[in-house]
Amino acid sequence: MKWINRQLFFLDFTLSSLSRRKGKNLALLFVYTVVVFVISSVLFFTTALRKEAEAILEESPEMIVQRTIAGRHDLIPVEYMQKIKSIRGIQSVRARLWGYYYHPASRANYTLMVPERYQHSEGTAEVGDGVLRTWGTLLENQLYFKTRDGEAMTLKVAGTFKASTDLVSSDLILMSEASFRRLTGMPEGFATDLTVKIRNRKECPTIAEKITHLLPDTRPILREEILRTYASLFDWRSGYMIVLLCGAVLAFFIFTWEKATGLSTDERCEVAILKSLGWDIPDILIMKFWEGAVISLTAFLIGAMAAYIHVFLTSAPLFEHAMKGWAVLYPKFKLYPAVSPYQLAVLFSLTVLPYTLITIVPIWKVAVTDPDAVMRYNA
Amino acid sequence: MILSPAIIAMILGSFLIGGFALYASFIGIRILRYWDIRSGSELQLGLERKTYLVSTIFTCLLGFELFSLFLFVYTADHIHSLFVGAMCAAGSLAVNSYGYPSLVVKVTNFVLCGIWLLVNHADYRGYDYPLIKVKYKLLLFIALLLVLEAVLQVGYFYHMKSDIITSCCGTLFSESAGNLTAELTALPSYGMKVFFYLGMTLTLRTGIHFLATGKGATVFSIMAAWLMVFSLASIISFISLYYYELPTHHCPFCLIQREYHGIGYALYLFLFAGGIAGMSVGVIHRLKCGTSLEMSIDLLLSRLCLFSMSAYIAFGAIATYPILFSDFRLEGY
């Protein structure tokens, strides 16, 4: 109890001491907060995107089988389905028809897809919000396409997707199989790839091996692999952002060092008076420790909260292009707020820990100042 | 190398910790060479002031070591999804030959930093810095280990390749793996329980004896050290099994996962607290002989002994809770 009271007195003294030098401390606090804000925005945003990708892939099939020719993805014959189905442990195999369509008017790529059961009539399409927003030549709810042969083709918009699935469906156009084949020129008996559902997840690698033996020109891709790639990708992106920010962070630490070393005459006098009043070196160190802690924690809290607002309430306007990828069609989507203690711990060790270590030597230099020399010098 | 923010933070932290430890050790070398308490020279006064700098650096380093120890294990756990076959930190640490050595050196450093700080605290109780030479010799050794830790940690993250197929707790901590952990898991749980509780009782008994008579500090200290090491073996052998309620899962890392309410944090914190305080009792008691601390240090030693015993009791309680209150019966299998 006595110890706690002592620390509270130190804290009280530190706060009043900080308030006496508002200008200098607010400048430091502002720069520190900006550093925390930028780093935490990167962390929060990439983690939220990673979680979003994981949530989307949760529903995807365990395996995708693609055919490759000369190392490039090629159309897969539908008859391969029968061969794959003969392998034990496989629940179902489905041929998928999908592709991309470049629309010159909007200068953007759209994703075309044939769903398992297309519920609208022939000559219609179901589209994402981003398509309606960007198509450009939308007239009477009809989308004009140019088929592979150069002929014109129109599809009536039969419906749009809900906003909750924006991230995946914004640039998506769903249509019937016949419309898809006519538009893209994909021959009958071929599909883009095959999806395989597997009963026991643990059997995936063995089944993948069997497929490569049975059909040597194919490449099975496991869901686990895609998840792993996404995890690496987002880690890599946020890692690079932080490496790029290193210069700014380093500048901040040099600024901190300068601030802590270049004490004003007032501050030197304050320490000298305290020491001549009977304060010991450890007392000054504790006071300076509290000073650092107050600035660090305030900057940490404000920076992290501002980053939370920036990422989860305003969709991170500062970073979205760097982090999401190249596509410009993505709507203003809201990410599910996902902040874990682990992220905060990483943020803490990227900002507060270096700050604390860097200020130790200047703090010690202040604490061992000879009061007599300071007072005589100032006089 | 995998470039995630956590890994960058760990590498940055290890460089800073290693750098500051080296800086402190340079001051330590000067102190060892030129320290003369009877002198009133400027050099001596400067060195006396520098002892405050070194102890401040080491106080911070201990805090960071604790923080980085848990962050290291948690990061290893977090990145397990990047490796084929890894299900928790056990798999991530096995992806290359730097993982487990890093962890062992990290734990050792944390324990040594704790002991150093307590010796330093005792040293300030004497009017003539009685433990200064021993303290700074120990500091040089710890600084070397901290640099080694930084090298191993950077090596671990640098040689990480995400497409690697690793072995995880299922095989690393299984009875047929043929390594030290396999030996630990294969030990009969009943015998381990007997030794664990016997060790706990003996540690507490020697602690009470020391508190009552002021004698037997070394015995208590040895018991506390032995109990810390044996407890780590017990966690792998039987304590973790009760938390997982699985007779085959011996992983000491899964305990920190959310599914087990992060009970591992409390378990390891109390274990290390008990071990560090307990070992410090013996170290300080041994060093105080023939110095100015002879009379003034007893209260500190009693407090440390009491703290160590309390931490071990808390650790024992956490370890025993599932044994008594869960439906899982290990010996039934």
Side-chain angles (χ1 to χ4, degrees), chain A residues 228 235 239 342 353 357 364, chain B residues 3 6 49 64 74-75 81-82:
Chain A
R228 209 165 28 244
D235 270 356
Y342 174 62
L353 297 196
L357 273 176
W364 169 79
Chain B
L3 204 64
R49 284 173 176 173
F64 297 166
Y74 198 94
T75 302
S81 59
L82 301 178

Side-chain angles (χ1 to χ4, degrees), chain B:
Chain B
M1 183 176 164
I2 295 166
L3 204 64
S4 85
I7 291 174
I8 294 172
M10 303 283 298
I11 291 175
L12 178 75
S14 61
F15 276 130
L16 278 172
I17 290 175
F20 271 86
L22 275 181
Y23 178 64
S25 65
F26 283 127
I27 299 173
I29 290 170
R30 276 176 67 80
I31 289 175
L32 284 173
R33 280 183 71 183
Y34 302 113
W35 185 266
D36 180 11
I37 193 68
R38 287 159 301 180
S39 161
S41 67
E42 204 172 326
L43 176 69
Q44 175 61 20
L45 281 175
L47 291 178
E48 281 177 25
R49 284 173 176 173
K50 286 215 162 150
T51 58
Y52 290 104
L53 174 61
V54 174
S55 54
T56 312
I57 289 175
F58 262 72
T59 311
C60 287
L61 290 191
L62 176 78
F64 297 166
E65 274 296 303
L66 178 64
F67 189 76
S68 88
L69 177 63
F70 283 107
L71 190 67
F72 181 75
V73 176
Y74 198 94
T75 302
D77 187 60
H78 183 72
I79 56 175
H80 75 262
S81 59
L82 301 178
F83 308 104
V84 182
M87 285 164 283
C88 67
S92 307
L93 288 171
V95 293
N96 59 42
S97 51
Y98 292 91
Y100 279 98
S102 296
L103 182 68
V104 171
V105 175
K106 258 185 131 51
V107 172
T108 314
N109 282 344
F110 173 64
V111 172
L112 286 175
C113 280
I115 294 173
W116 191 90
L117 275 180
L118 289 169
V119 171
N120 182 51
H121 183 67
D123 187 38
Y124 282 134
R125 300 262 171 140
Y127 59 86
D128 57 349
Y129 300 93
L131 309 178
I132 196 110
K133 296 266 178 183
V134 186
K135 198 172 78 176
Y136 281 90
K137 277 179 191 159
L138 180 61
L139 182 137
L140 292 184
F141 177 65
I142 298 174
L144 276 179
L145 281 179
L146 285 170
V147 173
L148 175 69
E149 179 196 313
V151 171
L152 285 173
Q153 200 169 286
V154 172
Y156 171 58
F157 290 125
Y158 183 75
H159 291 102
M160 220 175 229
K161 287 187 186 74
S162 59
D163 55 351
I164 209 159
I165 295 178
T166 182
S167 309
C168 200
C169 42
T171 48
L172 283 173
F173 297 98
S174 72
E175 292 170 21
S176 55
N179 52 23
L180 177 67
T181 48
E183 301 292 327
L184 289 174
T185 54
L187 288 170
S189 67
Y190 191 74
M192 286 295 279
K193 275 185 202 165
V194 170
F195 275 104
F196 174 70
Y197 286 107
L198 190 68
M200 185 68 85
T201 315
L202 282 175
T203 308
L204 295 179
R205 175 69 189 83
T206 49
I208 293 167
H209 180 75
F210 173 71
L211 285 177
T213 63
K215 287 176 185 164
T218 314
V219 179
F220 168 71
S221 200
I222 291 169
M223 287 307 301
W226 182 79
L227 184 60
M228 192 178 88
V229 177
F230 195 78
S231 297
L232 287 171
S234 301
I235 289 173
I236 297 173
S237 171
F238 70 92
I239 296 171
S240 57
L241 304 189
Y242 279 95
Y243 274 101
Y244 306 139
E245 299 195 345
L246 267 177
T248 50
H249 196 191
H250 291 271
C251 181
F253 304 108
C254 291
L255 281 171
I256 63 166
Q257 287 181 351
R258 198 172 289 170
E259 291 93 312
Y260 307 104
H261 310 290
I263 192 72
Y265 291 109
L267 199 69
Y268 289 116
L269 265 181
F270 283 122
L271 177 62
F272 289 131
I276 290 170
M279 283 188 263
S280 302
V281 172
V283 174
I284 297 169
H285 188 268
R286 203 173 167 77
L287 294 174
K288 76 169 189 178
C289 301
T291 66
S292 59
L293 292 173
E294 200 98 56
M295 304 302 288
S296 58
I297 206 77
D298 289 344
L299 183 64
L300 174 72
L301 288 181
S302 306
R303 279 184 182 165
L304 278 177
C305 178
L306 202 62
F307 179 76
S308 169
M309 285 163 62
S310 313
Y312 270 133
I313 290 171
F315 169 75
I318 296 172
T320 312
Y321 180 81
I323 299 177
L324 293 180
F325 296 106
S326 85
D327 295 331
F328 178 70
R329 291 287 169 271
L330 183 59
E331 277 75 30
Y333 291 91

Side-chain angles (χ1 to χ4, degrees), chain A residues 196-209:
Chain A
V196 183
K197 277 197 174 172
I198 295 163
R199 273 193 200 91
N200 185 354
R201 250 180 54 192
K202 287 179 183 166
E203 288 179 354
C204 287
T206 320
I207 291 174
E209 211 179 313

Side-chain angles (χ1 to χ4, degrees), chain A residues 100-262:
Chain A
Y100 297 114
Y101 178 78
Y102 179 72
H103 187 49
S106 61
R107 281 179 289 175
N109 265 310
Y110 296 86
T111 308
L112 309 177
M113 199 172 214
V114 178
E116 204 168 351
R117 276 180 222 93
Y118 185 67
Q119 288 162 346
H120 304 284
S121 58
E122 194 63 39
T124 60
E126 205 176 336
V127 298
D129 282 343
V131 179
L132 287 182
R133 189 160 42 81
T134 57
W135 192 259
T137 53
L138 197 73
L139 204 69
E140 291 170 3
N141 244 6
Q142 285 195 326
L143 300 174
Y144 288 88
F145 293 93
K146 204 165 132 186
T147 65
R148 192 166 168 258
D149 309 326
E151 290 168 14
M153 177 177 158
T154 52
L155 289 178
K156 200 165 187 252
V157 177
T160 54
F161 305 114
K162 287 179 199 130
S164 62
T165 56
D166 260 0
L167 189 56
V168 252
S169 62
S170 183
D171 69 338
L172 189 63
I173 303 173
L174 293 184
M175 57 183 72
S176 68
E177 187 180 336
S179 306
F180 180 84
R181 288 196 191 278
R182 207 184 126 206
L183 178 63
T184 59
M186 190 177 284
E188 287 289 340
F190 284 89
T192 314
D193 53 26
L194 305 177
T195 59
V196 183
K197 277 197 174 172
I198 295 163
R199 273 193 200 91
N200 185 354
R201 250 180 54 192
K202 287 179 183 166
E203 288 179 354
C204 287
T206 320
I207 291 174
E209 211 179 313
K210 282 185 181 173
I211 290 175
T212 41
H213 275 122
L214 202 63
L215 303 163
D217 60 340
T218 59
R219 173 176 65 183
I221 302 165
L222 300 178
R223 183 175 60 190
E224 302 296 314
E225 278 177 337
I226 303 174
L227 277 172
R228 209 165 28 244
T229 312
Y230 266 111
S232 306
L233 179 75
F234 287 124
D235 270 356
W236 179 82
R237 275 189 183 165
S238 55
Y240 262 94
M241 277 295 276
I242 286 169
V243 168
L244 291 176
L245 288 170
C246 263
V249 175
L250 201 65
F252 165 68
F253 288 133
I254 293 169
F255 172 73
T256 312
W257 174 278
E258 280 293 311
K259 281 263 175 197
T261 318

